Amino acid sequence: MIRVGLVDDQAMVRVGLRMILEAEQDIEIVGEAADGADAQALVRDHTPDVVLMDIRMPGMDGLAATEQVIAAHPDARIVILTTFDDDEYVYEALRVGASGFLLKSADGDTLVNAVRVVAGGEALLAPEVTRRVIERFASPVATPPGSTGPDGEHVPSPEAIGDLSDREVEVLQLIARGMSNQEIASELWVSSTTVKTHVSHILTKLGVRDRVQAVVEAYESGIVVPKG
């Protein structure tokens, strides 16, 4: 069973999410929270596999909650529930370790698939959201690589970036376009297993935990350049 936690200040939204997800035989809701502070208790007490986290809530919002939950539980998998109006907040959530986005307007099938993808260890890189957010807010870093930026963010070292092979750089650029392993395999005329191996090597060399973090670092290091 995939254990899911719901965090949203609107009770009706939580009811809707619960109804959709609990209709699936492999998903169960293990807890709910109405704000960021309660979200921390939810994760501590119920250890869900996936947390669906609203970004805008009274008191502690989803950004602060995401940062604190991941600081306390590094393996937590958090998907941000958002609208296109939340771009800046969502980008910051990615930087502190969220596993991806889910639009509040998404249909039931998309919601269920998102939960399964993230529970399976992948990051939810929805192209229409992720690319827009990262291209808007990421820029080549002014802080020397390998150091800590003005806001305490990690800046990839030149050794880590330079250690990527040409093929790994190519795979990372395709990941940044929102492609799945299967789509990358088709693009490069290789097997999905080969792509999975490349992705694993990329994450290890960059010192990041998932595809979302790899894409953020790709933009901030200049491997992928935001559109002007």
Side-chain angles (χ1 to χ4, degrees):
M1 294 291 289
I2 300 172
R3 297 162 51 82
V4 177
L6 306 176
V7 183
D8 196 296
D9 62 310
Q10 298 183 42
M12 290 303 296
V13 171
R14 299 197 305 271
V15 168
L17 293 172
R18 179 181 282 273
M19 290 178 61
I20 293 171
L21 293 174
E22 289 196 330
E24 303 298 317
Q25 293 185 347
D26 61 335
I27 298 175
E28 65 174 330
I29 306 301
V30 296
E32 298 184 14
D35 59 36
D38 287 344
Q40 297 178 71
L42 186 161
V43 174
R44 182 189 65 238
D45 296 340
H46 300 286
T47 59
D49 300 310
V50 179
V51 177
L52 300 180
M53 177 86 73
D54 186 18
I55 197 75
R56 292 182 178 178
M57 295 179 289
M60 181 183 292
D61 64 17
L63 174 59
T66 296
E67 184 170 17
Q68 292 193 18
V69 165
I70 291 176
H73 308 276
D75 293 332
R77 311 288 297 179
I78 298 178
V79 175
I80 300 298
L81 299 174
T82 183
T83 68
F84 277 133
D85 295 332
D86 296 328
D87 281 357
E88 184 172 4
Y89 299 102
V90 172
Y91 180 64
E92 291 303 316
L94 280 185
R95 295 185 65 177
V96 299
S99 293
F101 311 126
L102 187 66
L103 289 176
K104 283 194 167 183
S105 58
D107 59 28
D109 289 342
T110 301
L111 171 64
V112 170
N113 179 67
V115 168
R116 288 174 176 152
V117 166
V118 173
E122 295 288 343
L124 188 66
L125 281 167
E128 72 275 17
V129 186
T130 304
R131 193 163 59 243
R132 164 182 165 153
V133 172
I134 293 177
E135 287 183 350
R136 178 175 173 186
F137 292 100
S139 59
V141 295
T143 307
S147 62
T148 300
D151 297 323
E153 74 275 14
H154 167 68
V155 178
S157 68
E159 291 81 8
I161 298 301
D163 200 29
L164 295 180
S165 68
D166 291 343
R167 177 61 93 182
E168 288 164 353
V169 169
E170 190 174 9
V171 169
L172 181 54
Q173 290 169 335
L174 295 177
I175 293 173
R177 288 169 53 186
M179 288 189 175
S180 66
N181 285 358
Q182 185 173 357
E183 290 169 335
I184 294 172
S186 297
E187 177 79 12
L188 300 180
W189 293 89
V190 297
S191 70
S192 294
T193 300
T194 297
V195 173
K196 188 173 182 179
T197 299
H198 285 315
V199 172
S200 178
H201 289 166
I202 290 167
L203 301 185
T204 299
K205 290 179 180 180
L206 294 183
V208 297
R209 71 174 195 161
D210 60 32
R211 296 162 77 99
V212 169
Q213 296 296 298
V215 170
V216 171
E217 299 234 352
Y219 275 91
E220 294 193 335
S221 67
I223 289 178
V224 179
V225 180
K227 294 178 180 178

